[in-house]
């Protein structure tokens, strides 16, 4: 894994002390009583109880949050003993107490723009590794601007977007480029990601994050400019300025004979992929182009579906930018926080995304990333858990130092191996 050496500064005495001290827990799950937090807690319990190898055995962990009663209720439902830590995003001392006890924090507490900063700050200051499932690119940008230097000095590795936003895209592109290098001797200078199929539901927490982003963008024009920047998360002095394609309206894919519609998660996934390219020393090339879209069927049915999807997303975005309609939808229409797909829906969900790459010499490669659970919750809880374990168990601070990373740039092949072995997720080369 060829990571950008600019992020691996020489360890300060503070970093050496924080990374070498013995901590009580390998992992702490913060926000354990949230909808996705509970799913993650059950998965971690099952995985760690059955683990027989270095990838999970003898891992000490705890659940954390602000409500002791709810934490005890969750603890009673878990199949193994687990400690409880009381911590609140409004209480800095409680966060520091928590982060000083663990090697890695998993955070499921969103919307991150509202509640995420105090925990990032605490992790950065105390040399504690951190993973989350945020899809809020402007939140990541804010945190990088404020705490990048602090995290580098303390040795804290901050890895955002370790769920369906954005592991399948980020590691999918990484995998595709690795395969292209092996087969053609060069990386792809363009990759198109297409969601072939997905089945799953939205939780109230996901909706709350979307509402928060639209609220922020609606009241601050500078935020709109940030959201439109495909290189928002590239913080090098000479970031690329290649015009990126963006599927924002119905298009026809003549090569694959399908209609395309916008993919709601493209706005975060594409930014994460471009940051990975930077942190990997621009292994994908400085002219690399990447876009995402949803596949619809061919013919009139596919065309109508594409137009309906595009119109629906545009209408939703427009309504969410206006305060009265946003408040109306939030109160009376959209799912409430704490709600989400049933266990049966999670188990019966799945996703199948395809990536089509082409090198400068017109050599083509196609890959797919698939998951056998609901993408936003069943699969996300597994991705998030394995990312935390991978960062803490498999990736040393000598290999990857402190700072803000992406799943591909921090964990790459090691995380792919874990996901394939333990999470029902596969990465394959396919016929295009």
């Amino acid at each position: 894994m060829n990571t950008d050496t600019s992020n691996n500064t020489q360890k300060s005495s503070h970093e050496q002390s924080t990374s070498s001290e013995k901590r009580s827990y390998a992992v702490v799950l913060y926000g354990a009583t949230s909808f996705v937090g509970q799913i993650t807690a059950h998965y971690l319990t099952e995985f760690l109880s059955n683990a027989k190898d270095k990838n999970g055995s003898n891992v000490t962990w705890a659940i954390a949050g602000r409500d002791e009663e709810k934490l005890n209720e969750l603890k009673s439902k878990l199949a193994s003993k687990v400690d409880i830590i009381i911590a609140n995003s409004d209480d800095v001392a409680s966060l520091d107490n928590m982060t000083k006890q663990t090697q890695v924090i998993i955070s499921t507490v969103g919307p991150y723009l509202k509640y995420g900063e105090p925990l990032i700050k605490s992790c950065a200051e105390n040399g504690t590794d951190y993973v989350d499932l945020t899809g809020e690119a402007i939140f990541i940008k804010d945190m990088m601007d404020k705490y990048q230097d602090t995290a580098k000095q303390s040795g804290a590795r901050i890895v955002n977007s370790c769920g369906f936003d954005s592991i399948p895209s980020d590691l999918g592109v990484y995998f595709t480029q690795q395969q292209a290098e092996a087969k053609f001797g060069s990386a792809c200078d363009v990759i198109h990601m297409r969601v072939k199929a997905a089945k799953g539901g939205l939780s109230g927490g996901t909706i709350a994050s979307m509402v928060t982003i639209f609220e922020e963008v609606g009241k601050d024009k500078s935020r709109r400019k940030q959201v439109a920047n495909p290189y928002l998360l590239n913080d090098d002095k000479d970031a690329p300025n290649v015009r990126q394609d963006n599927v924002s309206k119905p298009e026809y894919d003549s090569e694959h004979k399908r209609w395309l519609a916008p993919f709601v998660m493209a706005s975060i996934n594409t930014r994460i992929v471009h940051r990975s390219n930077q942190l990997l020393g621009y292994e994908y090339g400085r002219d690399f182009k990447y876009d995402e879209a949803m596949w619809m069927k061919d013919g009139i049915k596919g065309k109508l579906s594409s137009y309906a999807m595009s119109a629906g997303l545009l209408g939703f975005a427009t309504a969410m930018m206006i305060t009265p309609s946003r408040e109306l939808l939030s109160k009376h229409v959209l799912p409430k926080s704490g709600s989400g797909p049933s266990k049966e829906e999670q188990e019966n969900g799945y996703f199948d995304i395809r990536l089509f790459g082409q090198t400068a010499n017109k050599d083509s490669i196609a890959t797919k990333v698939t998951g056998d659970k609901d993408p936003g919750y069943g699969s996300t809880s597994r991705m998030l858990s394995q990312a935390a374990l991978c960062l803490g168990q498999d990736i040393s601070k000598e290999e990857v130092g402190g700072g803000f990373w992406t799943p591909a740039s921090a964990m790459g092949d090691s995380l792919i191996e874990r996901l394939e072995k333990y999470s029902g997720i596969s990465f394959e080369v396919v016929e295009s």
Side-chain angles (χ1 to χ4, degrees), residues 37-268:
Q38 292 182 60
I39 300 169
T40 304
H42 283 284
Y43 171 73
L44 273 171
T45 300
E46 179 183 3
F47 174 73
L48 295 176
S49 297
N50 297 326
K52 304 297 183 184
D53 57 22
K54 68 178 181 64
N55 290 325
S57 59
N58 300 317
V59 170
T60 56
W61 69 292
I63 55 176
R66 65 183 181 180
D67 192 320
E68 186 173 5
E69 184 178 345
K70 288 184 178 180
L71 287 168
N72 276 311
E73 182 181 352
L74 173 61
K75 179 180 178 178
S76 69
K77 297 176 181 178
L78 299 177
S80 64
K81 292 182 179 180
V82 62
D83 290 344
I84 286 175
I85 299 173
I86 306 302
N88 192 328
S89 58
D90 292 333
D91 184 346
V92 173
S94 71
L95 293 179
D96 285 341
N97 175 61
M98 176 179 66
T99 60
K100 288 177 180 178
Q101 293 187 65
T102 186
Q103 296 174 8
V104 186
I105 287 282
I106 301 174
S107 175
T108 65
V109 179
Y112 291 88
L113 272 169
K114 286 187 175 180
Y115 306 116
E117 180 173 354
L119 181 56
I120 292 274
K121 181 176 185 289
S122 181
C123 287
E125 291 177 345
N126 292 309
T128 304
D129 296 339
Y130 167 100
V131 299
D132 68 22
L133 43 72
T134 185
E136 303 164 37
I138 54 178
F139 166 75
I140 300 173
K141 171 63 174 172
D142 288 350
M143 296 302 96
M144 286 170 52
D145 289 347
K146 289 185 178 182
Y147 303 112
Q148 175 77 286
D149 291 341
T150 304
K152 284 183 178 181
Q153 287 297 311
S154 72
R157 285 91 58 89
I158 312 294
V159 188
N160 305 105
S161 304
C162 290
F164 191 59
D165 311 335
S166 299
I167 277 181
S169 299
D170 193 31
L171 287 181
V173 170
Y174 174 87
F175 174 79
T176 303
Q177 295 288 29
Q178 298 290 97
Q179 299 302 311
E181 286 278 4
K183 187 173 183 179
F184 308 125
S186 64
C188 299
D189 60 359
V190 60
I191 291 180
H192 306 291
M193 187 280 258
R194 302 295 180 247
V195 181
K196 181 181 180 182
K199 181 182 179 183
L202 289 176
S203 81
T206 298
I207 295 296
S209 286
M210 295 171 65
V211 170
T212 301
I213 293 171
F214 281 117
E215 182 179 0
E216 186 80 6
V217 171
K219 68 184 181 183
D220 187 343
K221 290 183 179 180
S222 66
R223 289 299 209 184
R224 299 177 204 177
K225 190 173 182 180
Q226 283 187 318
V227 167
N229 179 8
Y231 299 107
L232 176 65
L233 302 182
N234 289 57
D235 58 351
D236 53 333
K237 294 179 180 178
D238 188 27
N241 59 2
V242 176
R243 181 180 176 84
Q244 295 290 326
D245 295 329
N246 179 31
V247 180
S248 59
K249 60 183 186 299
E251 295 182 16
Y252 187 70
D253 179 354
S254 57
E255 181 180 355
H256 298 103
K257 294 182 172 54
R258 287 176 177 265
W259 279 91
L260 303 178
F263 181 45
V264 69
M265 295 176 180
S267 61
I268 179 63

Side-chain angles (χ1 to χ4, degrees), residues 252-284:
Y252 187 70
D253 179 354
S254 57
E255 181 180 355
H256 298 103
K257 294 182 172 54
R258 287 176 177 265
W259 279 91
L260 303 178
F263 181 45
V264 69
M265 295 176 180
S267 61
I268 179 63
N269 294 340
T270 54
R271 276 64 175 170
I272 293 291
V273 166
H274 286 302
R275 177 156 178 79
S276 287
N277 190 24
Q278 174 201 326
L279 294 175
L280 292 167
Y282 288 104
E283 285 186 357
Y284 309 165

